[in-house]
Amino acid sequence: MVSCRICRSSLTPFLSLGQQPLANHFLKPQEFEAEYFYPLEIMFCPFCKMVQIMEQPPADLMYHEEYAFYSGTSSHMRRHFEDFAAQVKGQYLTGPDAFVLELGCNDGILLQNFLDPGIRHLGVEPSGNVARAARERGLIVWNEFFSPDLVPKIIRDFGQADAVVGANVLNHMPELDTVFQSLEKLLKPDAVAIFEDPYLHDVMRLGAYDQFYDEHVFLFSLQSMDFVSKKFGFEVVAADHQETHGGSMRYTLCRKGQRSVHPDVKHWREREIELKYDRLESYQSFAKTCESSRDALLALLKQLKSQGKRVVAYAATAKGTTVSNFCGIGPELIPCLYDSTPLKQGKFSPGSHIPVLDAVGFKDDPAEYALLLAPNHAREIFAKEKSFAQRGGRWILHVPRVHVLEDGKEIT
Ligand code: TMP
Ligand code: ZN
């Protein structure tokens, strides 16, 4: 029996994504043999409704000196975080000596927006390389895992916070209880915690099984966020849907009764009940969709190979690790993978061992098809690589279902 990390009830498995490697661990050939794998099983808690993975690899294997994910690689995300910061500044950091704390600040893509008006800030980031990149932007960053031990130190150096923010971070923290206990101490009485994470409804609606990988221990919904918040005396006062990461929700939390609750919160709560996200059957039917999607993608790639077509992949994402390992796609079907992150280039994709090449070389690759492993960046990548479609190249996407685009139009 596996128990829920939130309410200790017994969890029900609904989707098995097979043996998976560390999603962001792009590796060298000499590391292939000892590569770490774990079973990626997705579970639902019938009591608190939290969707979570069964087993998570040790944190020091996932976050370290060579963490391969730099948030700042996308210009679209840079704009997104400017807007996020503007909202936080305008609504919650209006006092003369405001202090904002970011958990998991990565390379500082969000936090840098507080520098210019000179707002007191602190980022806490466990991965050394990205923490250094944030410091190079002039930010104050502690290179540590966030833990309750840090709370007295933060309060000693900065005082309590007006806002604690985290983007795609809370879903990475298995010890949610201690995070909420820390928030209770860290936040001023009417201060807010704002967390933006991939949203259950978008994953369900798109059949986006690629949101599940080692780092994403939870997939939040309003119903599960309500449960955790209530457990610690907080409540959700705003829920703003975002387009990022294929669909995310920005939850604003504060101590119960401190602020008025935005009507959107009720709207999303009701929507989730209408869609039956409180019932196991919905997850079982989602699992069937994912399995069909896997079969369809593999069948398409095999068919193209048998026709002698060259298919490459684009964007060496953590999501792509789940896709290639769940579907069983290796270099025999996809000979190479293009990506703009220098740290990934010259290495091989986790588990599937597809060589990663510099994205600048994509223009010269004669491939007829390209599998886009970053569907969340489709607009930006299609614009950057428009010559591919112009010369007759076709994009393959695996969400919302497996389909092929020719000149922007779906052909299968
Ligand atoms: P993400 O989907 O987790 O945000 O990861 C984005 C990955 O996609 C990262 O490895 C960089 C890569 N990428 C490109 O190679 N070219 C691009 O234009 C964009 C936006 C991302
Ligand atoms: Zn539970």
Side-chain angles (χ1 to χ4, degrees):
M1 191 195 90
V2 185
S3 17
C4 173
R5 292 174 176 85
I6 308 301
C7 74
R8 316 290 164 220
S9 300
S10 155
L11 291 172
T12 312
F14 62 89
L15 173 62
S16 174
L17 293 169
Q19 289 292 315
Q20 291 279 347
L22 301 167
N24 268 313
H25 188 74
F26 290 81
L27 66 183
K28 301 179 191 108
Q30 57 269 33
E31 296 175 285
F32 288 173
E33 210 174 292
E35 191 171 9
Y36 183 95
F37 283 88
Y38 70 101
L40 183 53
E41 299 289 326
I42 320 302
M43 328 273 281
F44 172 65
C45 176
F47 188 70
C48 76
K49 317 299 179 196
M50 188 71 85
V51 171
Q52 54 204 283
I53 66 176
M54 180 182 75
E55 181 180 324
Q56 198 181 31
D60 57 353
L61 290 185
M62 297 186 286
Y63 315 109
H64 40 67
E65 272 301 306
E66 290 200 17
Y67 185 58
F69 179 69
Y70 284 75
S71 299
T73 47
S74 157
S75 59
H76 169 69
M77 291 304 283
R78 282 198 292 276
R79 276 194 303 279
H80 169 79
F81 284 120
E82 270 168 36
D83 295 346
F84 187 172
Q87 187 203 343
V88 180
K89 278 185 277 194
Q91 282 183 264
Y92 307 111
L93 302 178
T94 49
D97 199 28
F99 168 48
V100 58
L101 168 68
E102 184 177 4
L103 309 184
C105 67
N106 198 281
D107 58 9
I109 187 175
L110 169 60
L111 211 53
Q112 65 179 349
N113 296 294
F114 299 106
L115 267 180
D116 195 12
I119 290 173
R120 291 191 311 123
H121 68 272
L122 171 67
V124 177
E125 169 55 55
S127 297
N129 57 333
V130 288
R132 266 194 305 282
R135 283 191 191 130
E136 278 159 20
R137 296 177 198 257
L139 292 164
I140 303 169
V141 179
W142 290 359
N143 178 204
E144 309 219 33
F145 280 95
F146 180 75
S147 81
D149 297 346
L150 285 187
V151 172
K153 295 181 195 155
I154 296 172
I155 294 176
R156 183 196 62 206
D157 289 6
F158 297 87
Q160 282 182 308
D162 296 86
V164 172
V165 297
N168 216 352
V169 163
L170 197 66
N171 63 340
H172 288 57
M173 302 175 104
E175 315 277 340
L176 262 197
D177 281 12
T178 66
V179 176
F180 274 80
Q181 284 154 0
S182 301
L183 286 177
E184 167 58 36
K185 297 192 182 107
L186 275 170
L187 292 170
K188 289 180 183 166
D190 63 344
V192 291
I194 310 176
F195 295 112
E196 179 173 290
D197 289 283
Y199 181 42
L200 174 83
H201 171 53
D202 295 295
V203 171
M204 298 287 273
R205 141 185 106 75
L206 297 168
Y209 61 85
D210 57 355
Q211 277 296 357
F212 295 110
Y213 51 87
D214 53 2
E215 296 172 20
H216 290 179
V217 64
F218 298 113
L219 176 61
F220 297 118
S221 59
L222 211 58
Q223 53 185 357
S224 57
M225 193 59 94
D226 275 342
F227 188 97
V228 192
S229 305
K230 202 167 162 194
K231 185 172 168 190
F232 294 96
F234 285 82
E235 67 181 333
V236 181
V237 293
D240 302 307
H241 189 262
Q242 308 292 320
E243 292 308 317
T244 50
H245 290 290
S248 299
M249 188 62 90
R250 183 180 296 162
Y251 306 91
T252 303
L253 317 176
C254 73
R255 289 187 183 82
K256 189 162 173 53
Q258 285 290 334
R259 288 177 182 267
S260 57
V261 179
H262 193 281
D264 278 357
V265 177
K266 184 165 176 273
H267 158 81
W268 286 107
R269 209 174 267 147
E270 289 174 354
R271 189 104 191 270
E272 290 180 11
I273 296 295
E274 256 165 51
L275 293 162
K276 302 191 174 61
Y277 291 156
D278 51 343
R279 306 243 292 260
L280 177 63
E281 300 77 67
S282 307
Y283 299 92
Q284 289 166 331
S285 112
F286 164 77
K288 287 206 174 70
T289 308
C290 300
E291 285 155 6
S292 309
S293 166
R294 168 196 62 195
D295 297 345
L297 183 58
L298 197 57
L300 173 65
L301 296 177
K302 285 184 173 168
Q303 184 200 5
L304 293 173
K305 184 183 163 97
S306 71
Q307 294 168 355
K309 307 286 188 204
R310 179 174 164 86
V311 187
V312 299
Y314 199 104
T317 55
K319 294 178 182 74
T321 296
T322 296
V323 174
S324 59
N325 288 279
F326 177 48
C327 300
I329 301 166
E332 69 294 343
L333 291 172
I334 305 267
C336 65
L337 172 48
Y338 289 97
D339 194 280
S340 60
T341 315
L343 203 59
K344 297 178 185 177
Q345 295 158 6
K347 293 191 180 156
F348 292 77
S349 64
S352 48
H353 302 167
I354 300 170
V356 181
L357 307 179
D358 188 337
V360 296
F362 179 65
K363 286 184 176 58
D364 303 320
D365 191 304
E368 285 108 335
Y369 290 81
L371 172 64
L372 182 63
L373 292 174
N376 48 317
H377 296 299
R379 207 173 304 156
E380 185 168 345
I381 292 173
F382 290 169
K384 190 184 287 177
E385 302 294 355
K386 57 180 184 299
S387 62
F388 174 65
Q390 281 164 354
R391 69 162 174 81
R394 294 166 172 185
W395 288 103
I396 302 173
L397 284 104
H398 63 284
V399 285
R401 76 215 106 64
V402 175
H403 63 284
V404 179
L405 294 177
E406 185 180 80
D407 203 14
K409 286 183 210 64
E410 197 171 323
I411 55 165
T412 58

